[in-house]
Amino acid sequence: MEILWFLIALCMLTAVIGPFVLRRRSGIHLVEPGSPDAADPDTYGFLRQEEQDIRLPGPDQDLLDVLDVVQRTQDWHAASQLLAGTPREGEVRWQRVQAFAGAASLELQQQPGVGGAWLRAWRLDSPKDAGGAAVFAEFLVQQAWRSSAAGTDDFRIILEEARTACGEAALLAPGDPIPYIVELAVARGLGYSHEQFDQVWAKIIDRAPEHMGAYLAALHYWCEKWHGSRDEADHFATTAAARAPQGSLLAALPLFAVYEHLPEVNLVRGFYRSAVVTKATEGALFAVHAARPDDPMLAHVRHLLILFLVRSERWAEAMNQLVRVDGHVGALPWTMSEDPAATYTIHRNLAVAGYEANGGSPATLPQ
């Protein structure tokens, strides 16, 4: 028992002094705000914490404009038109379905019984609208995870309803992978067997074999904390990366697998510079450099890279990612925090301080 208390105390001490040790080893020193030696993120053109958009990982002005209209007028037609004009097989449509569903779910949380009325009207007024059916299925999934504890009766009831909604959405759009991608979250929550999961996955691969969003959703299922293991998740990710065509961001999937299995308390010095982490980070950097500049999943990979590059003290490389995503923080790893903008800003400020402590400045940062 005494050993247990000692280990608990050691973990708590590590959590408290870890950040200070990191700053000391890397030449970063805490100074008073306003000091001539203080690193200033503003000089790099970064937005302040309160200005960071937590809804999206990167810019999508068409979506933001439509969201503003829908939420202001409570009229769903603009959302329907936007989805109808967005290619089915691409990543953008999936992100927009998630955004509309998330907006309705958040409205309902903030105004119980009233919020998200536009989505209910959308389903009632236009039951054959494939876009509305997909958004509603994703809305139910987000409601389950947002409002109920996993494994409870309420959680399962909502996910069963979501599974039915996924089937209805699939019937309305036979070639659309999105209803099946939504069902991946249902599979995780309801505990599909591996055989059941593979049946859903096969339908996605038939329709969109390189859909990064689908692979990320499937990776959750194969993780140790759900229905797989560390080895199964790593195998899933590395196999996808090995088969990825030139320019595909699937080469970054192993880094997401590493992230999903990060230890809650890290007592190993140099963990973020270990061979496993370094290899996954290098793979993600390669994927980012090879990807199309307009790839809608690029921001997702950049955000996760920032976490690993900062924690491994690769300051200049972290800054190269930060200047390309600052302003939008609606992505892993920040969305796992209660305050995504604050968590992102802490890592960004550490990167700026580390960069300048090693001789960097706005003038030396490639744009």
Side-chain angles (χ1 to χ4, degrees):
M1 190 66 179
E2 292 178 356
I3 295 176
L4 177 61
W5 282 112
F6 171 76
L7 290 175
I8 293 174
L10 181 62
C11 291
M12 293 177 66
L13 182 62
T14 302
V16 171
I17 69 173
F20 296 96
V21 173
L22 172 64
R23 291 176 176 85
R24 184 177 181 85
R25 286 196 300 108
S26 59
I28 305 172
H29 304 286
L30 294 176
V31 297
E32 293 296 324
S35 165
D37 295 325
D40 185 3
D42 286 350
T43 62
Y44 295 87
F46 292 140
L47 298 182
R48 297 185 179 278
Q49 178 179 321
E50 61 272 18
E51 297 174 315
Q52 300 294 331
D53 192 326
I54 65 173
R55 296 171 295 180
L56 300 172
D60 185 344
Q61 196 57 50
D62 288 342
L63 172 62
L64 293 178
D65 290 343
V66 168
L67 263 177
D68 178 64
V69 170
V70 170
Q71 294 187 303
R72 179 164 38 82
T73 65
Q74 291 295 295
D75 187 331
W76 54 268
H77 287 86
S80 176
Q81 292 171 2
L82 181 65
L83 287 182
T86 307
R88 287 181 179 179
E89 67 281 357
E91 308 280 355
V92 174
R93 190 165 186 270
W94 170 229
Q95 292 187 24
R96 288 174 173 176
V97 165
Q98 288 181 298
F100 285 130
S105 180
L106 187 58
E107 278 186 37
L108 185 58
Q109 182 184 48
Q110 295 171 342
Q111 305 173 60
V114 179
W118 55 269
L119 179 55
R120 292 190 292 275
W122 189 355
R123 291 298 293 132
L124 289 171
D125 298 344
S126 187
K128 300 299 183 182
D129 187 321
V135 171
F136 183 67
E138 172 66 14
F139 164 79
L140 290 172
V141 166
Q142 294 195 27
Q143 276 298 103
W145 293 99
R146 189 191 299 273
S147 64
S148 308
T152 63
D153 288 342
D154 287 346
F155 179 79
R156 296 189 65 84
I157 288 170
I158 298 173
L159 284 186
E160 289 288 359
E161 186 180 355
R163 174 157 57 181
T164 300
C166 288
E168 294 172 352
L171 289 174
L172 292 171
D176 191 350
I178 288 180
Y180 300 103
I181 299 175
V182 176
E183 192 176 353
L184 293 179
V186 176
R188 178 161 52 101
L190 293 181
Y192 281 22
S193 68
H194 289 184
E195 292 75 19
Q196 289 175 303
F197 182 89
D198 287 341
Q199 290 173 6
V200 178
W201 184 242
K203 294 174 182 177
I204 295 171
I205 294 302
D206 284 345
R207 292 161 174 79
E210 298 169 22
H211 200 292
M212 179 75 169
Y215 274 91
L216 291 176
L219 179 62
H220 291 311
Y221 175 90
W222 290 112
C223 285
E224 188 174 60
K225 58 190 173 186
W226 289 106
H227 308 293
S229 66
R230 187 184 299 264
D231 288 342
E232 286 174 307
D234 181 67
H235 175 74
F236 177 79
T238 54
T239 299
R243 294 175 178 173
Q246 178 69 22
S248 170
L249 285 168
L250 288 176
L253 203 61
L255 188 65
F256 287 86
V258 171
Y259 172 75
E260 290 294 337
H261 294 91
L262 287 178
E264 291 186 12
V265 178
N266 175 32
L267 300 178
V268 180
R269 183 175 181 179
F271 170 79
Y272 286 93
R273 295 183 177 182
S274 65
V276 171
V277 174
T278 299
K279 182 179 179 180
T281 301
E282 293 299 334
L285 283 169
F286 171 80
V288 163
H289 292 319
R292 302 189 325 270
D294 62 345
D295 192 312
M297 294 301 292
L298 191 54
H300 287 270
V301 180
R302 291 191 189 279
H303 279 291
L304 192 64
L305 269 170
I306 290 167
L307 174 79
F308 282 92
L309 292 171
V310 168
R311 294 189 180 181
S312 59
E313 301 176 30
R314 296 167 66 168
W315 311 118
E317 292 169 290
M319 291 294 289
N320 282 332
Q321 303 305 320
L322 282 161
V323 296
R324 290 165 172 79
V325 300
D326 191 75
H328 296 85
V329 296
L332 285 175
W334 326 122
T335 50
M336 297 304 293
S337 165
E338 291 184 2
D339 190 340
T343 304
Y344 163 80
T345 303
I346 288 170
H347 282 78
R348 185 192 67 187
N349 292 353
L350 274 174
V352 172
Y355 182 62
E356 294 190 354
N358 287 276
S361 71
T364 60
L365 184 65
Q367 298 296 322

